[in-house]
Amino acid sequence: MGIIRTENLTYIYGEGTPFRHVAVDCVNVDIDEGEIVGIIGHTGSGKSTLIQHFNGLLKPTSGKVFIDGEELFADKSRLKEIRFKVGLVFQYPEHQLFEETVYKDIAFGPKNMGLSDDETDRRVKETAKMVGLGAELLEKSPFELSGGQKRRAAIAGVMAMEPKVLILDEPTAGLDPRGRDRILGMIKEYHAEKGTTVLLVSHSMEDVAKTVSKILVMNDSKVFMYGDRSSVFAKAEQLTEMGLTVPQVTRVFDRLRAMGIGFDDEVFSIDYAKDLVMRLLKEKRGESVD
Amino acid sequence: MGNFIEIKDVTFSYVNDYDDPPTKNTVIRGVSLEISKGEFVAVLGHNGSGKSTLAKMLNAINLPETGEVIVDGMKTSDEARLYDIRKTVGMVFQNPDNQIVATVVEEDVAFALENIGVPPAEIRERVDNALKTVGMYDYREHAPHKLSGGQKQRIAIAGVLAMQPECIVMDEPTAMLDPIGRREIMNTIKQLNAAGVTIVLITHYMDEAAEAGRVIVMDDGRVIADDTPKKVFSKAEMLKAVGLDVPNVTELTHRLIDEGLDLPDDIISEDECVERLYELLKKG
Amino acid sequence: MIKDITIGQFFPGKSVIHRLDPRIKLLLTVIYIVMLFSAKTFAGLAAGVAFLLVSFLLSGIPIKMMLKSIKPILPIIIFTGILNLFFISTGEVIFSWKFITVTTGGVRTMVFMASRIILLICGTSLLTYTTSPITLTDAIERILSPLKIIKFPAHEIAMMMTIALRFIPTLIEETDKIMSAQKARGADMETGSLIKRAKALIPILIPLFVSAFRRAEELALAMECRCYRGGEGRTRLKQLKTAPRDYVAVVLALAFLAAVIFLNRVWI
């Protein structure tokens, strides 16, 4: 049994009103511990609603959510405890900064968990380092930081709670290429170092392709598919129809295949594409020698 | 008669009066540019490179510290022509929520025209035309906050378009949108440009810049490249050094060239890349 | 969730009431209020009821919505009703127990006052049901605009109302988001003493203020880019024009007012 599992999870907004909308429709997922998973889907596909169930911010209309083997909402007194196992970083997390100093802001979560001052201090310093915020920045007001730094400070605030699962909703939205690569690199590093489960919600297939190993595709409030990268990118055409953009290299090689160049590989990174071209050339030369 | 927009050796600084002594942060350090009517110019640069500050100089929101900006023969420092300049160069911003004033779509599109005192019958006509151009006419009586990001951004564009500007400056209009919204905005931009509107598009997305006729790269308050997209993106190393990307296909061809393959170094479009690789890989 | 709150309940429609000039609608509302307050008898009040019912039927708004609008003020009606019942001692005594005395006069006043409040609320909610907030703002600006001569900022007030209406849903959504985000960081807003709960609001209020200021700054810039320079020389997309039906409506309302005054002489 995985760290996050749902059983026929359904969530309906505005039940009994004319605005009734099924946001999550009978979803069954099972995510293994230690996995780094991309959750993709266009706006309104239900991905944001889904992840808010994973730490009990939303209560399912019907169905069940299990975190680390324990059912959410089964025992209300355990809810807070379970919630701390799943850290949720919202879109534009820098908008939730409020403390006088960066240090205090990162410490907000750990303090709410009732940790000792020593433990809080250790965690704040450790995560600040991990997200690349120097010690000199910790005593500054979070509002004095640059855009990218603010975002990293906000993510550190959730990382410092040391959740078993870290969920990030569009962590690179609105950043420039440098800021984007920095955040993605930081997430990968965090996953490698801590070995915890990471869920990355995004509509950028490019970011997802670079970072994760498995992908969950949401479409029309349902799970379209859940599998490893190549099995998902093999459906590039359907993904495009859903309003998602597959990486440019994927499109190029899909077209080459359709034009009759013979290969079965799913291409989603530039490195892979380069190796594939070199391999195909070698095969071609080999054939012409015969 | 000179160029449509002339930027002559311009500098600009933000002064922080709260610091003691006041501190000065220079963000534009000597920029000269000329933009002709009907061009589609993309401006690239990482955050803090000065590109947004420069964009705000084109419609007299920011006035140059030294040097001058001339728009269609009007100096931006000439206060008497302020509203003429803003009518000539419209501006669209990143966050669609924060530039919509009214609670009804058509009232918002009419806002600028009401401000400049256009007669009501003409407002009606221009609002309807602007909404049709961006494909939002059917939504004219809707409440903006219920629309999608891409739709809101098209309303914002219509609000500027209604002024019938010669030029629209867009400051990262797609940064907060999903892929569908981005596609909607890019299509709108291309359509406007085809109709003769000069476009200055500030963006972080290389694939968007690749669609422009000209790409300007800014770094540390200076223009470090100003050429066709093909020429600019062929300098992949330089772009990476200033924290920018190149399109996937450009990166791939550059890597293949490094491996010793014979490919042109200025491939920026998917079609071109497919064509070249096909030639290379096809059997026999 | 707070998102579900709707503000300025407006029901779009094409009825004759919807199409009346908003200034006339404001005037009609004033006449209606005068009707209610000049009614001294139930017969007089009945004329007010008739006016309200006719308006509601013409508007096509379901009567159910009229009753719904009373719900939030029900406690006030009951409270004033009880006060009237116990403290008015005219007429015959119906019931007496210790210091509590209920008289026919008390019952009559209670029913009369309650009816008046209910009618008042129903009438004004019909105004907001049939007039979009922006049209209403527009009407208020135009009615107040003669006061510009005495430097009364009619345009500025209307502009502020418009922007407030525009940003209320956005800020409500934002509050919702910030609350979820802080809850995810373990903020506890539901338990503890009053002081603890007030303190728990800080992580929500500060980001909300910061965001509101950022939005204000960006909006101001966008308005400047669209040549905003105050009310001077402004034209409007929608001209307010009075049509014959507006005059008919006013005449009808005045007729009802006359009826109220006439019916005051009839004692029930």
Side-chain angles (χ1 to χ4, degrees), chain B residues 56 59 61 83 86 91 93 95 97-104 106-108 110-118 120 123-124 145 159 163, chain C residues 14 132 134 159 162-163 165-167 169-170 173 214-215 218-219 221-230 232-239:
Chain B
K56 287 186 193 120
N59 69 344
I61 293 290
Y83 295 106
R86 294 202 177 145
M91 204 156 175
F93 296 92
N95 191 336
D97 267 324
N98 297 353
Q99 47 189 325
I100 293 175
V101 189
T103 48
V104 181
E106 60 178 11
E107 295 271 355
D108 187 74
F111 182 72
L113 303 181
E114 294 178 337
N115 289 336
I116 54 184
V118 174
I123 296 185
R124 181 82 261 168
H145 74 270
M163 291 195 290
Chain C
K14 297 252 180 263
S132 73
I134 192 151
M159 196 70 212
T162 306
I163 292 173
L165 286 169
R166 158 71 188 80
F167 277 90
T170 310
E173 214 171 282
R214 191 189 58 240
R215 285 181 192 281
E218 285 179 23
L219 183 69
L221 189 63
M223 285 169 73
E224 252 186 83
C225 286
R226 291 210 264 160
C227 301
Y228 181 69
R229 50 190 139 170
E232 201 88 349
R234 254 183 136 236
T235 50
R236 300 307 300 264
L237 165 67
K238 288 199 180 118
Q239 292 303 97

Side-chain angles (χ1 to χ4, degrees), chain B residues 181-209:
Chain B
R182 282 183 56 199
R183 223 172 294 157
E184 286 170 9
I185 298 305
M186 280 315 287
N187 289 338
T188 307
I189 289 174
K190 281 189 276 180
Q191 183 197 340
L192 292 179
N193 185 244
V197 180
T198 311
I199 303 281
V200 177
L201 172 69
I202 294 168
T203 182
H204 284 148
Y205 292 105
M206 305 305 140
D207 50 338
E208 290 175 3

